[in-house]
Amino acid sequence: MHTLLNEQSSVTDAALKAVAHMPTKSLPALMDSAFTSALADADYMRIAVWLASKSYDEGGCPIGAVIVDSITGEILGKGHNTLVQDNDPYDHGETSAMRDAGRIDFSRTTLYTSLSPCGVCAKLISMRGFRRVVVGDVTNASGTEEQLRQEGIHVDEFEDSQGVDLYARFRSEKPKQDLEDWLGVSAL
């Protein structure tokens, strides 16, 4: 099968945006293993940021996450925060990506999240057995990285300037929505 993204394709923002917006189960029709093997931490993080941007464009909190097989680099799950869009207080980027991945062995994966996980997501990351988490923004929010490390999870901080700027803009435009995402409606 010929795919659009293959060994001759460059890893561009346009390609990563297409990966972010394509349903996970359909990704093999878009990209082959040669293209996947060319992706690096910065590329997976940029996919998470494109997912965060999708949430922002939908009126939600700009947080995205990608779950990747640590050996093959295959994307197993993706998601973005839909607290507002789905009226769901715990449909965060990380939980959405886990739901998309389904019932898999998360200890064999890396989770890329565009923003430092909240306490609930950090606990779920630990409970599901993730071994590695890459956090894309600790400038606008941080705090659970040490908690994850104490749980034996390898945490890398890999800030993506586009994601940092997006969340800062969101926080200044919608401070109440930001507060609700972190602490719930009772905090408003």
Side-chain angles (χ1 to χ4, degrees):
M1 176 163 95
H2 179 71
T3 59
L4 183 62
L5 301 175
N6 53 48
E7 63 189 9
Q8 291 142 350
S9 304
S10 297
V11 178
T12 64
D13 252 6
L16 298 176
K17 187 174 185 179
V19 170
H21 290 282
M22 174 79 85
T24 304
K25 289 181 179 15
S26 300
L27 286 175
L30 176 66
M31 62 184 190
D32 65 15
S33 60
F35 181 80
T36 301
S37 66
L39 298 178
D41 283 347
D43 303 316
Y44 293 115
M45 185 55 66
R46 183 51 59 95
I47 294 167
V49 169
W50 280 120
L51 290 161
S53 183
K54 178 180 186 322
S55 183
Y56 178 81
D57 292 345
E58 294 171 351
C61 305
I63 305 163
V66 180
I67 298 171
V68 176
D69 183 294
S70 296
I71 307 270
T72 66
E74 177 186 2
I75 295 174
L76 304 173
K78 302 182 282 119
H80 63 284
N81 185 304
T82 58
L83 169 114
V84 172
Q85 303 92 307
D86 293 343
N87 194 32
D88 185 333
Y90 284 106
D91 207 357
H92 288 184
E94 300 89 347
T95 58
S96 180
M98 285 184 230
R99 188 176 306 107
D100 186 46
R103 295 173 59 212
I104 64 170
D105 181 354
F106 290 109
S107 71
R108 300 176 187 193
T109 68
T110 297
L111 172 70
Y112 294 83
T113 180
S114 65
L115 187 72
S116 179
C118 73
V120 172
C121 288
K123 188 61 179 169
L124 186 58
I125 289 165
S126 173
M127 288 174 57
R128 291 295 168 236
F130 283 91
R131 299 282 189 253
R132 180 174 182 238
V133 174
V134 181
V135 179
D137 179 356
V138 294
T139 297
N140 290 299
S142 65
T144 59
E145 295 77 26
E146 191 53 40
Q147 173 188 342
L148 292 169
R149 288 181 181 109
Q150 288 174 0
E151 297 283 341
I153 299 168
H154 180 86
V155 178
D156 289 312
E157 296 171 9
F158 195 98
E159 287 203 314
D160 180 292
S161 61
Q162 184 175 320
V164 171
D165 293 346
L166 175 64
Y167 202 84
R169 184 170 69 240
F170 162 74
R171 182 170 269 171
S172 70
E173 291 171 353
K174 298 181 179 181
K176 287 184 178 180
Q177 189 175 326
D178 176 52
L179 187 62
E180 177 189 351
D181 187 55
W182 286 94
L183 300 173
V185 174
S186 63
L188 301 179

